[in-house]
Amino acid sequence: MILKSNNRPRAYSYIRWSTVIQGTGDSNRRQVQMAVDYADKHGLDLVPEDIIRDEGLSGFTARNLKDGALGQFIRAVEAEKIPKGSYLLVESFDRLSRQTVDAAVELFLNIIRHDIILVTLSDQAEYRKPVDMTKLIMSIVYMSRAHEESLMKRQRGVNNWKGKRLNIGKRKLTSLCPGWLTLSDDRTKFIVNDERAAIVRRVFDLSLAGQGAFVIARKFNTEGVTTFGRSDAWGTSSVKKLLRNRAVIGEYQPCRKSREDKQRTPEGEPDPNYFPAIIEPETFHANQATLNRRRTKCGRKGKAYSNLFSGLALCHNCGSKMHFINKGEKGGTSLFCHDSQKGICPQRHGWRYKHFEKSFFSFVREIDLEAVMNGETISRIEFINGELHQLENEKRDIDAKRHKLMEGFENDEENRDIVNARMAIHNEGLARNKALVDRLSKERSEILDSRRASKEAAFAGFPTNISDEELYNLRAKAAEQISGVVESIHMVKGPVLVQLGEENDRLVQKFDSKYLVRFKGGASRLVIPDSSNAEDAFVVANMDFPAQDWDELPRATKSPWHSPIPQAAVNP
């Protein structure tokens, strides 16, 4: 029974348990009852607000002292907000701390030093100032034992986990697995849920087809597709996590979890065949490249994916993004410099969107529109981009391992041979990585070259006799194709003077705009379009020169798609 009387010393009960499971058991009730019985027996005031709890906080890592209620109590004691002569009741020393002896003794003495009487309820022992040396020695023994027990439990857990990992090929580590899998009764394999696996494959197909996570989630919710978890609805985050989950290609990364910050840290190399794969590696890697590109594309896409150049089209004058503006049937759609809308950039004129889109597809023939119109899910270019993305991550990992190796053994002469052997392995990995990057980059360039050479027909536009959803899907896929090939598009709106020929045969003409398309891989193409006919242009020049010099217009070369210049438009 808990009572309150101003004539009796005040008591505080500190209760702690390390895990959630302990909290659901008898730990809390037992510790409270022991404190109440002691307070009643010794005439102490113990009220509910003086029962201090740290639920699920470790005494081994001192989380209870750093972030928990015990730490708050100690700070209150040091600030003299707790009356001198008060009692602190704990079941045993290991409730206060399971740290090393020196840290635990410092905590113990700090409490006693501030005239707080510490009571261990398990043996009814009281510790107060001045400290009894016999009791102090016994307390040190208890503290040492508590630390050693925790250390032993932790080591047993580590060894148990290592044992499981060594046996990973015969028996799975845990029943925890992705939502499309279940563990077999004998724990030797995971069984694929075909219905859920089909949903996962559809998510990847939709993503490669240009559908963002928000659109996929909305589509699934509209169709009533069942989720894998507790939520009744699909969300953007759940779709993104699914697209990033390497378990779909069978990979499992063992991790260790720190009790201090509860973060999962990778431990050891991933097992590439731990789970049954339900997605082809090339599809997964192509999606990763797509997701990384898509980070720059934000905002609403409109009913029919209005702007295919979101995140790519930039204002040459200030470098900010060109935003899609819809002024209705009368004003039409345009691309405007974002900073000019805020009054920062002096570039006031926009581009007619439909004119620019048609011009782009007429003169940037590297985009595989045939694959888009035929409904192909993944093109060879997207596959290559995905593989290059994977190789980039691989190179980053190897570089990190090389750096760590050099940092850890720089002055270790005894292990010099081991360091050199490991470094040789990493260097071989880098060499293989570079060879693959070079081969894939060359293949991508060859594909783009062949598209330039073979595609001569003018862009006929997207079909008009299809549903809004079908049109959205086509344009979304086209946008993915563009971002897979193009690095950026620099747009200039203003007087552009070009010349053709030399000296007496030189012709000069003034145009109102130009744009430079930078391709992935370094090549560029300058296009000076005809303002009246999007399928015509005065100049289409292929270039490869430093970025800072691109606006110094080189000698114009007549485009193979160029129609004759009207003589009336030529200045003498």
Side-chain angles (χ1 to χ4, degrees), residues 158-176:
V158 170
N159 292 338
N160 183 44
W161 188 249
K162 286 182 178 179
K164 286 184 176 181
R165 286 203 61 196
L166 290 173
N167 201 32
I168 197 172
K170 299 178 180 179
R171 190 176 178 86
K172 300 306 178 183
L173 295 173
T174 172
S175 61
L176 294 177

Side-chain angles (χ1 to χ4, degrees), residues 23-66:
T24 59
D26 193 49
S27 185
N28 178 63
R29 186 208 60 78
R30 185 186 69 252
Q31 292 182 64
V32 169
Q33 189 60 51
M34 291 176 72
V36 170
D37 291 344
Y38 187 88
D40 285 347
K41 181 178 178 180
H42 294 82
L44 306 178
D45 275 334
L46 177 64
V47 294
E49 57 264 30
D50 291 337
I51 296 178
I52 309 163
R53 286 183 178 85
D54 275 328
E55 304 176 15
L57 294 183
S58 171
F60 183 79
T61 60
R63 279 286 307 279
N64 61 331
L65 193 58
K66 297 173 185 175

Side-chain angles (χ1 to χ4, degrees), residues 171-283:
R171 190 176 178 86
K172 300 306 178 183
L173 295 173
T174 172
S175 61
L176 294 177
C177 60
W180 59 89
L181 301 174
T182 53
L183 183 63
S184 63
D185 293 338
D186 60 5
R187 302 180 68 87
T188 60
K189 62 182 179 180
F190 290 104
I191 302 169
V192 177
N193 181 314
D194 292 334
E195 183 179 346
R196 289 187 171 185
I199 294 173
V200 175
R201 295 187 187 102
R202 189 181 175 205
V203 168
F204 276 82
D205 288 344
L206 289 172
S207 178
L208 274 179
Q211 309 285 320
F214 174 79
V215 174
I216 295 173
R218 183 177 59 184
K219 182 189 293 290
F220 280 11
N221 290 333
T222 301
E223 296 176 3
V225 177
T226 305
T227 62
F228 297 170
R230 298 176 182 176
S231 176
D232 294 331
W234 288 86
T236 302
S237 61
S238 58
V239 173
K240 287 182 177 179
K241 287 178 182 178
L242 195 56
L243 290 168
R244 293 288 190 189
N245 193 342
R246 300 184 67 86
V248 298
I249 56 174
E251 186 175 301
Y252 170 70
Q253 173 62 68
C255 295
R256 57 183 174 84
K257 189 174 181 180
S258 169
R259 283 192 168 190
E260 292 190 14
D261 52 19
K262 295 187 178 180
Q263 293 297 315
R264 293 173 60 82
T265 304
E267 187 173 70
E269 296 297 321
D271 185 334
N273 301 307
Y274 183 75
F275 298 115
I278 61 171
I279 297 292
E280 293 297 326
E282 56 265 29
T283 301

Side-chain angles (χ1 to χ4, degrees), residues 365-528:
R365 301 298 178 90
E366 289 80 0
I367 310 304
D368 192 3
L369 285 177
E370 183 177 349
V372 173
M373 299 304 181
N374 291 337
E376 296 179 23
T377 302
I378 179 171
S379 69
R380 181 61 185 170
I381 288 288
E382 286 170 314
F383 167 75
I384 291 174
N385 286 339
E387 290 299 301
L388 288 173
H389 172 75
Q390 176 70 4
L391 289 169
E392 181 182 345
N393 290 338
E394 180 184 283
K395 180 180 181 299
R396 190 182 301 114
D397 290 342
I398 295 175
D399 284 338
K401 289 176 181 177
R402 291 175 76 250
H403 177 74
K404 186 176 181 180
L405 195 62
M406 291 298 295
E407 193 177 59
F409 295 96
E410 191 171 8
N411 300 315
D412 193 343
E413 293 297 334
E414 293 182 5
N415 294 292
R416 182 65 60 186
D417 291 341
I418 297 176
V419 172
N420 290 336
R422 290 180 180 175
M423 189 62 71
I425 293 172
H426 293 327
N427 289 338
E428 289 177 6
L430 283 178
R432 286 194 301 271
N433 182 283
K434 184 179 185 304
L436 284 171
V437 168
D438 291 344
R439 180 178 65 77
L440 289 169
S441 297
K442 181 181 179 182
E443 183 183 353
R444 180 170 64 181
S445 297
E446 290 173 349
I447 292 173
L448 297 182
D449 288 341
S450 67
R451 287 182 187 172
R452 296 185 194 108
S454 64
K455 299 202 173 184
E456 299 179 357
F459 174 59
F462 291 94
T464 57
N465 59 341
I466 57 177
S467 67
D468 289 342
E469 183 176 0
E470 290 173 320
L471 180 59
Y472 182 98
N473 293 340
L474 283 179
R475 291 180 61 82
K477 183 60 179 174
E480 290 298 334
Q481 286 269 353
I482 294 170
S483 61
V485 173
V486 173
E487 190 70 41
S488 59
I489 307 169
H490 299 262
M491 307 179 72
V492 179
K493 196 71 174 177
V496 179
L497 293 177
V498 296
Q499 65 180 29
L500 181 65
E502 298 181 3
E503 299 179 356
N504 296 333
D505 295 329
R506 182 175 61 192
L507 297 176
V508 179
Q509 190 167 357
K510 180 179 179 181
F511 291 84
D512 66 352
S513 61
K514 65 181 178 181
Y515 60 89
L516 181 89
V517 180
R518 289 195 181 284
F519 296 98
K520 293 185 174 178
S524 303
R525 178 170 304 129
L526 176 69
V527 179
I528 301 180

